[in-house]
Amino acid sequence: MTEAAKQKSPIGLWSSSSEKHSLVEDVQGIVAGSMLAALGVTMLASAHLLIGGTAGLGFLLRYSVDVSFGTAFFVLNLPFYWLAYKRLGLAFTLKTFSAVALTSFLTGVLPKLIGIDHIDPIAAALFGGLLIGCGMLILFRHRASLGGFGILALYLQDRLSWRAGFVQLGLDCLVLILSFFVASPFVIACSVLAAVTLNLTLAINHRTDRYIVR
């Protein structure tokens, strides 16, 4: 790597290069990605929609039993950290744990800060799915994820070059099938729209051959 490629500052925490994010950049990316994802989740919840992945399972538990989404989402992700550590490394695991914990916390706080009295389910699906997708995109680019199926999707993309968005879309469909037990066909249709919006955002914008920063 040439000196021109390095972008150093007097403070080591800011040191970065064209191939590696600095610590400060990673922290900012994890916080920003978690904020966008939590806002997207809040929009979906306001319209009583669901989504795929462990977030979808969290919604199913929220609508079925007396448990908050944040608590369900955090607990459901715990089994996936071992796979993350074994396959994707300690740094990825710690970043992902931080993103999941922050997103879980924010989903409990945001409804107290942002009141959404009415939102059209289709609008919630489009904007909520896009926000979560953009949040996950930021996290992916900082070698983190929102856990669960996202870890598996990233692993398969790294090992088999399968698009993370398409892998997660398939897994999301399995979760949405379970939604028939707790939601109406229209809500499920809007939830599918949210999942498609989210995963197309990832599939189109996240490619390892175009973005290689670690």
Side-chain angles (χ1 to χ4, degrees):
M1 183 188 306
T2 64
E3 289 298 322
K6 298 179 180 180
Q7 304 294 324
K8 291 189 175 182
S9 73
I11 303 177
L13 295 179
W14 284 92
S15 298
S16 65
S17 73
S18 60
E19 297 179 353
K20 184 177 179 62
H21 289 114
S22 69
L23 176 60
V24 171
E25 288 171 339
D26 277 340
V27 170
Q28 185 276 334
I30 290 172
V31 172
S34 300
M35 290 175 66
L36 287 175
L39 182 57
V41 167
T42 300
M43 294 186 71
L44 295 181
S46 297
H48 302 287
L49 300 185
L50 301 102
I51 198 70
T54 48
L57 295 177
F59 273 125
L60 288 174
L61 289 176
R62 178 179 183 268
Y63 297 145
S64 306
V65 297
D66 186 21
V67 61
S68 70
F69 170 85
T71 299
F73 182 60
F74 182 81
V75 172
L76 286 168
N77 273 295
L78 293 178
F80 290 92
Y81 293 125
W82 179 246
L83 174 63
Y85 172 70
K86 293 294 289 184
R87 300 298 186 182
L88 297 167
L90 179 61
F92 176 90
T93 304
L94 293 177
K95 291 177 185 179
T96 295
F97 180 85
S98 300
V100 170
L102 182 55
T103 301
S104 299
F105 171 75
L106 289 174
T107 55
V109 171
L110 279 180
K112 301 174 184 178
L113 303 177
I114 302 174
I116 303 178
D117 296 328
H118 170 74
I119 183 169
D120 181 81
I122 296 177
L126 292 173
F127 285 94
L130 180 61
L131 282 169
I132 297 173
C134 288
M136 292 179 66
L137 180 63
I138 293 174
L139 293 174
F140 283 4
R141 289 186 171 180
H142 287 269
R143 302 299 295 169
S145 78
L146 285 179
F149 295 162
I151 292 175
L152 181 58
L154 276 182
Y155 170 71
L156 291 176
Q157 176 165 286
D158 288 343
R159 285 301 183 91
L160 303 176
S161 297
W162 294 359
R163 295 281 188 89
F166 290 135
V167 171
Q168 186 148 339
L169 179 59
L171 295 172
D172 287 348
C173 288
L174 295 178
V175 174
L176 288 173
I177 290 174
L178 299 175
S179 344
F180 282 94
F181 294 101
V182 298
S184 68
F186 177 69
V187 167
I188 293 172
C190 291
S191 299
V192 170
L193 178 61
V196 170
T197 301
L198 186 163
N199 288 290
L200 283 179
T201 300
L202 295 180
I204 293 171
N205 294 284
H206 183 68
R207 289 181 54 174
T208 54
D209 58 337
R210 288 179 178 169
Y211 194 90
I212 61 174
V213 176
R214 301 293 182 179

